[in-house]
Amino acid sequence: MTTVTADRHALRLVHIRPPAELTGEREQWLVDGLTAALPSLRMRELFALRRDMFRSAGLITVAVGPDGNAVGALASRRDRLPSGAQLLHATTQFVAEGLRHTGVFRASWGAHFAALGHTADDLPLLIALKTYNPVVLCGMRAFTRIPGTSLYPDCTGAPQDRAHAERAARIAALLAPGHPFDPATGVISGIGIPPDLYPRLPRCRDEAVNAHFARATRPGDRVLCVFDVGTRAGAAALLRAFGAATAATAATGTGGAAR
């Protein structure tokens, strides 16, 4: 079991592997914990409409507070593009409002990568997620410190790389069929449920990213972020950067964090 210290908060990270380990009781534990951890968002409305973000996942990594409640969750599943390329689709990521800009984001991804597999061959070379939160895009962009990797969309105001934009369009068609997609901005229109999940557009520390979201999105829209690991060497570097080759976490099937 991994213990994470973030701003004096000692957290545990545990795994749930749907469908077998996502019991009704554990799902409600997740819903209740995340609703309490994110009071400024319309989480009750979200979970009334969408439990698929958990049920369709292959792995959920949960940050558990000292009181035993869920204060963060990262869920993903593996998809495959028509070309055959594997894609890791992060179906959701939440971090408690009081734990933002701490080590929880990084630790959750590290534990998640470790649970997906300890070698570069286990990791899909494309990672995608949909977000209305500029902070999430900036968090993903931090991955690009690894040479040979890249992130779509580019929020500097420059034209998008054509090959990246065309690939993003294929990914959008897979993850959000029937919803309009703008490859020039990365915006999938009208996919957010409920549309007013966020009372206002969040802000990050990068004004160019804030400007991109403010200019391109409306409530209910989501920006498709696609991180390209590049090569198996890049995948190995990513795992090392997150300590995923040695991270050890407990599954709720044996550790019993979810109540």
Side-chain angles (χ1 to χ4, degrees):
M1 183 173 294
T2 297
T3 299
V4 183
T5 302
D7 281 1
R8 301 180 303 280
H9 296 276
L11 307 178
R12 292 177 297 138
L13 295 174
V14 299
H15 297 313
I16 299 172
R17 293 177 175 83
E21 295 177 358
L22 187 63
T23 63
E25 183 179 18
R26 285 175 179 157
E27 184 177 82
Q28 195 60 47
W29 168 77
L30 269 174
V31 167
D32 291 343
L34 294 173
T35 299
L38 294 155
S40 68
L41 302 187
R42 301 183 188 279
M43 299 296 285
R44 286 290 177 198
E45 291 87 344
L46 171 68
F47 290 131
L49 297 168
R50 294 205 46 206
R51 300 287 182 98
D52 59 290
M53 63 182 71
F54 297 136
R55 294 172 183 175
S56 69
L59 176 68
I60 308 169
T61 299
V62 187
V64 184
D67 59 1
N69 293 326
V71 293
L74 169 62
S76 75
R77 69 168 184 260
R78 294 175 187 260
D79 283 314
R80 190 178 292 275
L81 292 169
S83 65
Q86 273 202 0
L87 173 76
L88 185 67
H89 176 201
T91 58
T92 192
Q93 179 166 26
F94 295 114
V95 176
E97 292 175 3
L99 293 173
R100 290 172 182 165
H101 306 297
T102 69
V104 177
F105 177 90
R106 184 181 185 282
S108 295
W109 275 102
H112 202 75
F113 285 146
L116 290 171
H118 293 272
T119 72
D121 290 337
D122 298 320
L123 187 67
L125 296 182
L126 295 172
I127 302 172
L129 56 80
K130 306 179 294 292
T131 187
Y132 188 65
N133 191 340
V135 177
V136 173
L137 186 145
C138 287
M140 293 290 289
R141 192 176 59 184
F143 296 1
T144 62
R145 294 169 184 164
I146 297 168
T149 63
S150 63
L151 179 70
Y152 167 93
D154 184 327
C155 296
T156 63
Q160 304 298 334
D161 177 275
R162 180 175 178 179
H164 291 176
E166 290 175 350
R167 182 178 61 197
R170 295 191 291 272
I171 293 173
L174 175 68
L175 303 186
H179 287 271
F181 174 70
D182 181 4
T185 61
V187 172
I188 303 174
S189 299
I191 195 174
I193 300 175
D196 59 349
L197 171 64
Y198 293 84
R200 65 188 63 83
L201 183 66
R203 293 182 62 82
C204 67
R205 295 171 178 173
D206 187 322
E207 288 305 322
V209 176
N210 290 330
H212 180 87
F213 274 72
R215 180 174 59 250
T217 65
R218 298 292 180 270
D221 294 345
R222 296 293 183 265
V223 174
L224 174 66
C225 303
V226 181
F227 177 68
D228 186 346
V229 182
T231 64
R232 290 298 165 195
L238 182 67
L239 293 177
R240 288 195 300 271
F242 281 86
T246 57
T249 57
T252 57
T254 56
R259 296 174 297 169

